[in-house]
Short mmCIF file of all heavy atoms in Angstrom, two decimals:
data_model
loop_
_atom_site.label_atom_id
_atom_site.label_comp_id
_atom_site.label_asym_id
_atom_site.label_seq_id
_atom_site.Cartn_x
_atom_site.Cartn_y
_atom_site.Cartn_z
N HIS A 1 83.99 392.97 -68.71
CA HIS A 1 83.06 392.82 -67.60
C HIS A 1 83.43 393.83 -66.51
O HIS A 1 84.50 394.44 -66.56
CB HIS A 1 83.09 391.40 -67.04
CG HIS A 1 84.46 390.99 -66.56
ND1 HIS A 1 85.43 390.49 -67.41
CD2 HIS A 1 85.03 391.04 -65.32
CE1 HIS A 1 86.52 390.24 -66.72
NE2 HIS A 1 86.31 390.56 -65.46
N HIS A 2 82.55 393.98 -65.55
CA HIS A 2 82.80 394.87 -64.42
C HIS A 2 82.80 394.04 -63.14
O HIS A 2 82.05 393.08 -62.99
CB HIS A 2 81.72 395.95 -64.33
CG HIS A 2 81.64 396.82 -65.54
ND1 HIS A 2 82.71 397.53 -66.03
CD2 HIS A 2 80.61 397.09 -66.38
CE1 HIS A 2 82.36 398.21 -67.10
NE2 HIS A 2 81.08 397.95 -67.34
N ILE A 3 83.65 394.46 -62.19
CA ILE A 3 83.71 393.82 -60.89
C ILE A 3 83.45 394.88 -59.83
O ILE A 3 84.08 395.95 -59.84
CB ILE A 3 85.08 393.15 -60.65
CG1 ILE A 3 85.34 392.07 -61.70
CG2 ILE A 3 85.14 392.54 -59.25
CD1 ILE A 3 86.71 391.43 -61.60
N HIS A 4 82.52 394.61 -58.94
CA HIS A 4 82.15 395.56 -57.89
C HIS A 4 82.25 394.90 -56.52
O HIS A 4 81.85 393.73 -56.37
CB HIS A 4 80.70 396.04 -58.07
CG HIS A 4 80.40 396.62 -59.41
ND1 HIS A 4 80.48 397.97 -59.68
CD2 HIS A 4 80.01 396.02 -60.57
CE1 HIS A 4 80.14 398.19 -60.95
NE2 HIS A 4 79.84 397.03 -61.51
N PRO A 5 82.73 395.61 -55.50
CA PRO A 5 82.62 395.10 -54.12
C PRO A 5 81.14 394.99 -53.73
O PRO A 5 80.29 395.68 -54.28
CB PRO A 5 83.34 396.16 -53.29
CG PRO A 5 84.16 396.94 -54.27
CD PRO A 5 83.42 396.90 -55.56
N ILE A 6 80.85 394.12 -52.77
CA ILE A 6 79.48 393.91 -52.31
C ILE A 6 79.33 394.44 -50.90
O ILE A 6 80.20 394.23 -50.04
CB ILE A 6 79.12 392.40 -52.34
CG1 ILE A 6 79.18 391.86 -53.77
CG2 ILE A 6 77.74 392.15 -51.74
CD1 ILE A 6 79.02 390.35 -53.85
N ARG A 7 78.22 395.13 -50.66
CA ARG A 7 77.86 395.57 -49.31
C ARG A 7 76.39 395.27 -49.06
O ARG A 7 75.58 395.56 -49.93
CB ARG A 7 78.12 397.08 -49.13
CG ARG A 7 79.57 397.48 -49.17
CD ARG A 7 80.35 396.92 -47.97
NE ARG A 7 81.74 397.37 -47.98
CZ ARG A 7 82.71 396.80 -48.65
NH1 ARG A 7 82.46 395.72 -49.37
NH2 ARG A 7 83.94 397.28 -48.60
N PRO A 8 76.01 394.70 -47.94
CA PRO A 8 76.89 394.23 -46.86
C PRO A 8 77.83 393.11 -47.34
O PRO A 8 77.51 392.39 -48.27
CB PRO A 8 75.90 393.70 -45.81
CG PRO A 8 74.59 394.32 -46.16
CD PRO A 8 74.59 394.48 -47.65
N VAL A 9 78.95 393.01 -46.67
CA VAL A 9 79.99 392.05 -47.05
C VAL A 9 79.47 390.62 -46.92
O VAL A 9 78.79 390.27 -45.95
CB VAL A 9 81.24 392.25 -46.16
CG1 VAL A 9 82.22 391.10 -46.36
CG2 VAL A 9 81.91 393.58 -46.48
N ILE A 10 79.79 389.81 -47.91
CA ILE A 10 79.54 388.36 -47.84
C ILE A 10 80.91 387.70 -47.75
O ILE A 10 81.67 387.69 -48.73
CB ILE A 10 78.76 387.84 -49.06
CG1 ILE A 10 77.46 388.62 -49.25
CG2 ILE A 10 78.48 386.35 -48.90
CD1 ILE A 10 76.69 388.24 -50.50
N ARG A 11 81.23 387.17 -46.62
CA ARG A 11 82.60 386.73 -46.32
C ARG A 11 82.73 385.21 -46.42
O ARG A 11 81.91 384.47 -45.88
CB ARG A 11 83.00 387.21 -44.93
CG ARG A 11 84.43 386.94 -44.54
CD ARG A 11 84.89 387.98 -43.53
NE ARG A 11 85.07 389.30 -44.18
CZ ARG A 11 85.34 390.41 -43.52
NH1 ARG A 11 85.46 390.40 -42.20
NH2 ARG A 11 85.49 391.55 -44.17
N ILE A 12 83.80 384.77 -47.11
CA ILE A 12 84.09 383.34 -47.27
C ILE A 12 85.34 382.99 -46.46
O ILE A 12 86.41 383.53 -46.73
CB ILE A 12 84.33 382.97 -48.74
CG1 ILE A 12 83.15 383.39 -49.62
CG2 ILE A 12 84.60 381.47 -48.89
CD1 ILE A 12 83.42 383.24 -51.10
N PRO A 13 85.24 382.12 -45.46
CA PRO A 13 86.44 381.73 -44.70
C PRO A 13 87.30 380.78 -45.52
O PRO A 13 86.81 380.06 -46.40
CB PRO A 13 85.85 381.01 -43.47
CG PRO A 13 84.56 380.46 -43.96
CD PRO A 13 84.03 381.44 -44.98
N ILE A 14 88.58 380.78 -45.25
CA ILE A 14 89.52 379.86 -45.91
C ILE A 14 90.20 379.03 -44.83
O ILE A 14 90.84 379.57 -43.93
CB ILE A 14 90.55 380.62 -46.76
CG1 ILE A 14 89.82 381.44 -47.83
CG2 ILE A 14 91.53 379.65 -47.40
CD1 ILE A 14 90.71 382.33 -48.63
N LEU A 15 90.03 377.71 -44.93
CA LEU A 15 90.50 376.81 -43.89
C LEU A 15 91.50 375.81 -44.43
O LEU A 15 91.41 375.38 -45.59
CB LEU A 15 89.32 376.04 -43.29
CG LEU A 15 88.11 376.83 -42.78
CD1 LEU A 15 87.04 375.88 -42.29
CD2 LEU A 15 88.52 377.78 -41.67
N ALA A 16 92.45 375.44 -43.58
CA ALA A 16 93.32 374.30 -43.84
C ALA A 16 92.80 373.15 -42.97
O ALA A 16 92.68 373.29 -41.76
CB ALA A 16 94.76 374.62 -43.50
N LEU A 17 92.51 372.01 -43.60
CA LEU A 17 91.93 370.86 -42.90
C LEU A 17 92.88 369.68 -42.93
O LEU A 17 93.50 369.40 -43.96
CB LEU A 17 90.60 370.46 -43.56
CG LEU A 17 89.54 371.56 -43.71
CD1 LEU A 17 88.37 371.05 -44.53
CD2 LEU A 17 89.07 372.02 -42.34
N THR A 18 93.00 368.99 -41.80
CA THR A 18 93.80 367.77 -41.71
C THR A 18 93.06 366.73 -40.88
O THR A 18 92.26 367.09 -40.02
CB THR A 18 95.18 368.04 -41.07
OG1 THR A 18 95.00 368.73 -39.83
CG2 THR A 18 96.07 368.88 -41.99
N PRO A 19 93.31 365.44 -41.13
CA PRO A 19 92.60 364.38 -40.39
C PRO A 19 93.04 364.33 -38.92
O PRO A 19 94.23 364.40 -38.62
CB PRO A 19 92.99 363.10 -41.12
CG PRO A 19 93.60 363.53 -42.41
CD PRO A 19 94.18 364.89 -42.18
N LEU A 20 92.08 364.19 -38.04
CA LEU A 20 92.39 364.05 -36.61
C LEU A 20 93.03 362.71 -36.29
O LEU A 20 93.67 362.55 -35.26
CB LEU A 20 91.12 364.21 -35.78
CG LEU A 20 90.67 365.65 -35.49
CD1 LEU A 20 89.29 365.64 -34.84
CD2 LEU A 20 91.67 366.36 -34.60
N THR A 21 92.87 361.74 -37.18
CA THR A 21 93.40 360.40 -36.92
C THR A 21 94.90 360.30 -37.14
O THR A 21 95.51 359.30 -36.80
CB THR A 21 92.71 359.37 -37.84
OG1 THR A 21 92.81 359.82 -39.21
CG2 THR A 21 91.24 359.22 -37.48
N ARG A 22 95.50 361.36 -37.73
CA ARG A 22 96.95 361.35 -37.97
C ARG A 22 97.55 362.66 -37.49
O ARG A 22 96.93 363.72 -37.66
CB ARG A 22 97.26 361.17 -39.47
CG ARG A 22 96.74 359.89 -40.07
CD ARG A 22 97.35 359.62 -41.44
NE ARG A 22 97.09 360.67 -42.40
CZ ARG A 22 95.97 360.74 -43.13
NH1 ARG A 22 95.02 359.85 -42.99
NH2 ARG A 22 95.81 361.71 -44.01
N PRO A 23 98.75 362.61 -36.91
CA PRO A 23 99.41 363.86 -36.51
C PRO A 23 99.80 364.67 -37.74
O PRO A 23 100.04 364.11 -38.81
CB PRO A 23 100.65 363.39 -35.74
CG PRO A 23 100.92 362.01 -36.25
CD PRO A 23 99.58 361.42 -36.57
N VAL A 24 99.84 365.97 -37.58
CA VAL A 24 100.22 366.86 -38.70
C VAL A 24 101.73 366.77 -38.89
O VAL A 24 102.50 367.03 -37.97
CB VAL A 24 99.80 368.31 -38.42
CG1 VAL A 24 100.19 369.21 -39.59
CG2 VAL A 24 98.29 368.38 -38.20
N SER A 25 102.17 366.42 -40.08
CA SER A 25 103.60 366.26 -40.35
C SER A 25 104.25 367.60 -40.61
O SER A 25 103.59 368.61 -40.90
CB SER A 25 103.81 365.36 -41.57
OG SER A 25 103.31 365.99 -42.74
N THR A 26 105.58 367.63 -40.49
CA THR A 26 106.35 368.83 -40.84
C THR A 26 106.12 369.20 -42.29
O THR A 26 106.06 370.38 -42.65
CB THR A 26 107.85 368.58 -40.59
OG1 THR A 26 108.04 368.19 -39.23
CG2 THR A 26 108.67 369.82 -40.88
#
């Protein structure tokens, strides 16, 4: 198969999610 970059760029954000009801642990 072939892989090509896309223009205009279609950007996907990457997030870390945690519950607001609990503090974030070490």
Side-chain angles (χ1 to χ4, degrees):
H1 58 276
H2 300 303
I3 299 176
H4 305 267
I6 298 172
R7 293 293 184 275
V9 169
I10 305 176
R11 185 152 289 173
I12 304 172
I14 300 174
L15 307 177
L17 305 173
T18 52
L20 278 171
T21 53
R22 300 193 301 275
V24 180
S25 66
T26 304

